[in-house]
Amino acid sequence: MATTAQLFEEPFDADEYIERLAWRTPGGGSKGGAEAFDPKRLLEEFVNHIEELKQLDEKIQRRVEKLEHQCHREAKEFAHKVQDLQRSNQVAFQHFQELDDHISYVATKVCHLGDQLEGVNTPRQRAVEAQRLMTYFNEFLDGDLRSDVFNNPDKIKEAADIIQKLHLIAQELPFDRFADVKAKIASKYHDLERQLIQEFTAAQRRGEIGRMREVAAVLLHFKGYAHCVDVYIKQCQEGAYLRNDVFEDTAVLCQKVNKQVGEVFSSPETIMAKLIQNIFEYKLQAHIKGKLDETRHSDVEQYLKNLYELYTRTTALATKLAEFNLGSDKHTFLSKLIKSIFSSYLESYVEMEREYLRTRGAMILQRYYDSKNHQKRPIGTGSIQDLKERIRQKTNLALGPSIDTHGETFLSPELVVNLLQETRHAFERCHRLSDPSDLPKNAFSIFLLLVDHLCVEHIDYALEIGLAAIPSSDAKNANLYFLDVVQQANSIFHLFDKQFNDQLMPLISSSPKLAECLHKKKEVIEQMEVKLDTGIDRTLNCMVGQMKHILATEQRKTDFRPEDENNVMIQYTAACSKVCAYVSRQVEHVRKSMDGKNVDTVLTELGVRFHRLIHEHLQQYSYSSMGGMLAICDVAEYRKCAKDFRVPLVLQLFDTLHALCNLLVVAPDNLKQVCSGEQLTNLDRNLLHAFVQLRVDYRSARLGRHFS
């Protein structure tokens, strides 16, 4: 195998190399089996190959030494070249510095020479300009304008420049000596000014922006430049207001002009500001004044709607216009324009809003009561009325004319929605039209009107009528409508509270008026709660009175002392059945009329009074053994009815009453044990004794001895 340097290139594996060498040697590999293996031949091949490798190593070593020597030689040559280049660079840098110094010297001389030339040329140019102006001045002095510049229409720009300078010079001349020439110059000045404006107008109509820009630049130094701007603004508006929407037309017009004005005038922000001012002071003001003055005294509602809409659209338009370049203080500029249009209307806005709400609220209320054919009753106030109310609560005496409302609550959801809707619109207008410093005060005044119309004139009046319509507790078959009043009053007040939070709070949340509003709301709630509590209490008294009437008319003494003890077929008495039916209806009525914790509170009070009535009622009779069983059945039915209350206290009271009734039937020997039972052990023994005394066998069985 020929030995070359390529055999040892990476990756090189020595073991593989030896194996390949042995395999190539005849008798050195496994080919032919063990008999064909020749170790001497293999050894000889290895020795020869080692010699070849040594020779190859010497050859490569000589080549490496040659390359190293060549590399050292080239490195020395490169170092010499670098040194030569550094020396050349230093020489070039020195030449550059010398050249830079020389250029600076020459530039200084040139600048000095330029200043000297300018010092000579400027007076010369001034003299030439003065001579030229004097030549033109002489033509005016002679009265014969011979120069082509004054007679050639194509040179109007040059003529304008000359006449403008002559006009300035003429202002300094004494009037008595140069009156005639000053008049001629002024005449020519105004004539050229008029021609330039006409040229600008014609160019604007033709849409020639370049020509407009040229003429505007010439007119900039003339007194008539402002008139040129006025003409431009006037022509911009021609044909711009063809629709009925002046606000939309204005936005479109300003958008269009804003693109053009920067190409024509040197100060576009001033021109845009003047255009917008012109539109506000003429177009918008005339439009707004016409719409508002038309309804201001004839239709206040429409006037307020128009004022709100117009002010809103004007401020929205100002927001769009603020996107244009109108100068540094554009927001103040636009605010002043809006104020100049609306100031006279905004000054009287709050008074008109309050007067409108006051009139509108009274009309809505009156319209409702008229639809019910109801004449509002004056509600008495003061110490005498309060005294009557307290006496009526304590004694249930009718101290005034009783009112039969025929089930009418005198509360109208439709009326409430109308009042709240009007107030919502008023709050929106107030927010938009009021000065920020006056906003909380104005919103509070609107809130007071809502309280007066909704809470006082409607809800409070309905409560007073409802209270007056509650019959006395001893009335028979009385219809109780006050709970319906309670239900509707609660629903209405929820709507009132929602508007308070959604509409009023954002307007007053960061002002001292917040405390006043919350106090007023709390005061109204407390006044209504007192009347609601009074009405509910008297309604519960009427319910108890009706139960008492049922018991008095339906319960017979023989119910609990039947003549035939062995022939009692009923499960409970008729009085019990009717009372339970009545109570179930009233419980359902309370649930429909109340919400939240109020349901449990009222049902608890009704349940306690119901229990007290039954407890006192049962103590009016004496009981035989079978009558006691029937009483237990009645109480069981009452207890079943009490479960509808879903009030643990009421159910517990009837459980105890049921246990007490067991004393009416228990065997005399077991009486003491029953009295010591779990449900009765904590009761007063006098109460237990009182129940035992109701038994017909109390004396004969000597039951009193158990309590002595």
Side-chain angles (χ1 to χ4, degrees):
M1 176 172 74
T3 304
T4 61
Q6 284 77 13
L7 293 173
F8 301 97
E9 291 180 354
E10 294 294 341
F12 175 73
D13 188 345
D15 292 339
E16 183 184 355
Y17 183 80
I18 297 297
E19 287 293 335
R20 192 164 62 250
L21 179 63
W23 182 78
R24 290 177 178 272
T25 303
S30 58
K31 186 166 60 176
E35 294 80 8
F37 179 70
D38 187 355
K40 291 182 179 180
R41 184 79 176 269
L42 183 61
L43 176 61
E44 183 182 350
E45 181 66 25
F46 278 175
V47 170
N48 293 333
H49 199 75
I50 288 172
E51 287 299 324
E52 290 179 5
L53 290 175
K54 287 181 179 179
Q55 294 174 4
L56 179 63
D57 179 62
E58 291 174 357
K59 182 180 178 182
I60 292 174
Q61 189 64 35
R62 286 194 300 272
R63 187 178 177 188
V64 168
E65 290 175 355
K66 182 180 179 181
L67 290 173
E68 286 180 346
H69 179 71
Q70 183 180 353
C71 182
H72 287 309
R73 187 178 69 252
E74 290 180 356
K76 288 181 180 179
E77 292 176 358
F78 181 73
H80 288 311
K81 287 182 180 180
V82 170
Q83 289 176 357
D84 292 341
L85 289 173
Q86 286 179 338
R87 284 193 293 271
S88 299
N89 183 56
Q90 288 177 352
V91 173
F93 183 72
Q94 289 175 355
H95 289 325
F96 175 77
Q97 283 185 325
E98 292 174 0
L99 181 61
D100 184 60
D101 292 341
H102 188 66
I103 290 173
S104 298
Y105 174 76
V106 171
T108 303
K109 290 292 185 181
V110 169
C111 289
H112 179 65
L113 181 61
D115 291 339
Q116 288 180 331
L117 290 173
E118 185 178 1
V120 173
N121 188 53
T122 301
R124 179 178 174 280
Q125 285 182 337
R126 289 176 181 171
V128 170
E129 179 67 18
Q131 183 183 13
R132 189 167 68 95
L133 291 175
M134 289 173 64
T135 301
Y136 294 130
F137 185 81
N138 283 333
E139 292 185 15
F140 280 99
L141 196 61
D142 298 339
D144 182 17
L145 300 179
R146 299 178 300 277
S147 299
D148 182 56
V149 70
F150 294 122
N151 299 307
N152 190 346
D154 296 332
K155 295 185 177 181
I156 189 171
K157 184 177 178 181
E158 296 177 43
D161 179 60
I162 294 169
I163 201 67
Q164 194 266 337
K165 292 176 180 177
L166 289 176
H167 185 70
L168 291 176
I169 294 172
Q171 303 298 316
E172 305 296 327
L173 299 176
F175 183 80
D176 52 349
R177 293 178 55 192
F178 297 96
D180 185 51
V181 70
K182 288 178 71 173
K184 293 177 182 178
I185 292 174
S187 174
K188 189 64 176 177
Y189 178 90
H190 293 304
D191 184 50
L192 278 174
E193 187 178 68
R194 178 179 53 78
Q195 291 180 40
L196 287 169
I197 292 175
Q198 290 175 349
E199 177 63 24
F200 181 88
T201 304
Q204 183 179 2
R205 286 175 178 162
R206 293 192 301 268
E208 297 177 358
I209 302 299
R211 183 58 179 163
M212 290 170 64
R213 181 170 57 249
E214 291 177 8
V215 176
V218 175
L219 276 170
L220 181 62
H221 305 291
F222 279 76
K223 294 179 181 179
Y225 180 71
H227 183 59
C228 172
V229 173
D230 293 339
V231 170
Y232 174 76
I233 290 173
K234 181 180 179 181
Q235 286 202 170
C236 285
Q237 298 179 56
E238 289 180 0
Y241 293 92
L242 300 177
R243 293 175 291 184
N244 292 327
D245 193 341
V246 66
F247 297 97
E248 189 62 30
D249 287 339
T250 298
V252 172
L253 171 63
C254 291
Q255 186 72 36
K256 175 184 175 183
V257 172
N258 184 61
K259 295 178 181 178
Q260 184 186 85
V261 73
E263 301 176 2
V264 176
F265 296 98
S266 58
S267 55
E269 68 279 0
T270 306
I271 309 303
M272 277 301 296
K274 196 165 184 180
L275 169 66
I276 291 172
Q277 182 177 358
N278 181 275
I279 292 172
F280 268 73
E281 291 179 351
Y282 295 99
K283 286 288 183 184
L284 286 184
Q285 186 159 10
H287 173 74
I288 291 168
K289 188 175 186 300
K291 289 203 72 173
L292 293 180
D293 290 353
E294 180 182 353
T295 57
R296 187 168 191 172
H297 301 292
S298 60
D299 188 347
V300 178
E301 179 182 8
Q302 191 59 46
Y303 167 77
L304 291 172
K305 289 180 180 179
N306 289 344
L307 178 60
Y308 174 76
E309 180 190 2
L310 292 170
Y311 189 84
T312 301
R313 297 201 65 186
T314 304
T315 52
L317 175 62
T319 303
K320 289 182 181 179
L321 299 180
E323 298 174 1
F324 304 136
N325 182 14
L326 305 177
S328 58
D329 202 7
K330 55 187 175 183
H331 294 289
T332 304
F333 168 70
L334 291 169
S335 297
K336 287 182 178 178
L337 292 178
I338 294 173
K339 187 175 180 181
S340 67
I341 296 175
F342 288 97
S343 59
S344 61
Y345 302 106
L346 296 182
E347 287 173 359
S348 60
Y349 155 69
V350 178
E351 288 301 323
M352 296 190 73
E353 184 74 79
R354 282 202 294 259
E355 184 60 31
Y356 167 71
L357 282 178
R358 192 177 293 111
T359 306
R360 179 69 174 169
M363 185 199 72
I364 291 173
L365 288 167
Q366 190 59 48
R367 188 170 59 192
Y368 167 70
Y369 293 120
D370 288 345
S371 69
K372 299 294 180 181
N373 293 320
H374 175 76
Q375 182 67 36
K376 286 191 73 174
R377 303 171 66 248
I379 303 300
T381 57
S383 58
I384 296 178
Q385 181 67 20
D386 295 339
L387 178 62
K388 287 182 178 181
E389 184 60 35
R390 286 198 294 271
I391 293 174
R392 182 160 53 185
Q393 290 181 39
K394 298 291 184 182
T395 63
N396 288 316
L397 294 176
L399 300 179
S402 180
I403 300 176
D404 185 2
T405 61
H406 302 288
E408 178 60 57
T409 62
F410 290 104
L411 288 171
S412 167
E414 181 182 356
L415 177 147
V416 172
V417 169
N418 288 337
L419 285 177
L420 292 177
Q421 185 80 349
E422 291 291 346
T423 310
R424 182 175 70 83
H425 292 322
F427 281 135
E428 290 174 352
R429 290 191 291 264
C430 178
H431 187 200
R432 175 68 67 181
L433 302 175
S434 294
D435 187 88
S437 60
D438 295 331
L439 177 58
K441 178 182 67 175
N442 295 344
F444 180 63
S445 66
I446 292 173
F447 171 68
L448 291 180
L449 288 171
L450 176 63
V451 169
D452 184 56
H453 289 139
L454 181 61
C455 299
V456 177
E457 294 294 330
H458 192 56
I459 301 177
D460 191 67
Y461 177 75
L463 292 177
E464 288 286 353
I465 294 296
L467 285 171
I470 298 175
S472 61
S473 60
D474 56 357
K476 300 176 182 179
N477 299 320
N479 291 319
L480 303 176
Y481 296 111
F482 191 78
L483 291 181
D484 296 331
V485 177
V486 173
Q487 177 189 10
Q488 294 189 27
N490 280 333
S491 300
I492 292 171
F493 199 80
H494 285 320
L495 295 175
F496 169 79
D497 190 55
K498 186 177 188 306
Q499 184 168 87
F500 181 90
N501 294 322
D502 294 348
Q503 302 287 329
L504 179 61
M505 285 295 287
L507 308 183
I508 61 170
S509 57
S510 57
S511 75
K513 286 294 179 182
L514 175 62
E516 290 186 51
C517 286
L518 292 174
H519 175 73
K520 184 65 178 179
K521 180 185 172 186
K522 181 182 177 184
E523 183 182 286
V524 170
I525 292 174
E526 289 176 350
Q527 290 175 356
M528 294 205 312
E529 283 180 345
V530 168
K531 293 183 179 179
L532 288 170
D533 291 344
T534 301
I536 292 171
D537 181 68
R538 287 169 55 189
T539 300
L540 295 182
N541 284 341
C542 288
M543 290 180 183
V544 173
Q546 189 66 22
M547 296 180 218
K548 189 181 295 185
H549 174 70
I550 294 173
L551 291 172
T553 55
E554 297 293 334
Q555 195 85 69
R556 298 188 300 274
K557 291 185 177 181
T558 56
D559 285 344
F560 302 116
R561 292 183 66 178
E563 297 176 356
D564 187 356
E565 291 280 335
N566 298 320
N567 194 23
V568 178
M569 302 300 294
I570 60 174
Q571 295 180 345
Y572 42 80
T573 64
C576 171
S577 176
K578 290 187 177 181
V579 167
C580 287
Y582 178 79
V583 170
S584 296
R585 290 196 301 272
Q586 300 312 315
V587 169
E588 187 64 27
H589 195 180
V590 170
R591 290 195 183 282
K592 289 181 179 179
S593 304
M594 305 288 175
D595 57 2
K597 295 181 179 179
N598 294 329
V599 177
D600 292 338
T601 302
V602 174
L603 288 181
T604 299
E605 183 62 27
L606 177 60
V608 170
R609 296 186 189 190
F610 176 37
H611 167 267
R612 186 185 304 123
L613 172 66
I614 300 302
H615 186 277
E616 293 173 354
H617 173 71
L618 291 174
Q619 289 183 312
Q620 298 175 10
Y621 301 92
S622 58
Y623 300 86
S624 64
S625 177
M626 184 53 67
M629 291 298 296
L630 196 56
I632 290 175
C633 290
D634 277 4
V635 173
E637 192 66 19
Y638 291 136
R639 184 173 62 174
K640 182 179 177 182
C641 181
K643 289 182 180 179
D644 294 340
F645 285 72
R646 301 173 200 165
V647 177
L649 174 61
V650 176
L651 190 58
Q652 182 184 351
L653 290 174
F654 277 94
D655 285 341
T656 303
L657 183 59
H658 189 270
L660 282 171
C661 288
N662 285 332
L663 298 177
L664 301 176
V665 297
V666 70
D669 295 338
N670 297 331
L671 185 61
K672 189 171 184 179
Q673 180 183 355
V674 172
C675 289
S676 303
E678 181 181 354
Q679 288 184 309
L680 301 179
T681 185
N682 295 325
L683 295 181
D684 187 358
R685 290 186 63 80
N686 291 330
L687 177 60
L688 301 178
H689 191 192
F691 255 82
V692 172
Q693 286 178 323
L694 300 177
R695 293 172 57 143
V696 293
D697 61 348
Y698 174 75
R699 294 185 182 279
S700 60
R702 297 176 60 214
L703 300 179
R705 58 190 170 83
H706 295 290
F707 300 95
S708 58

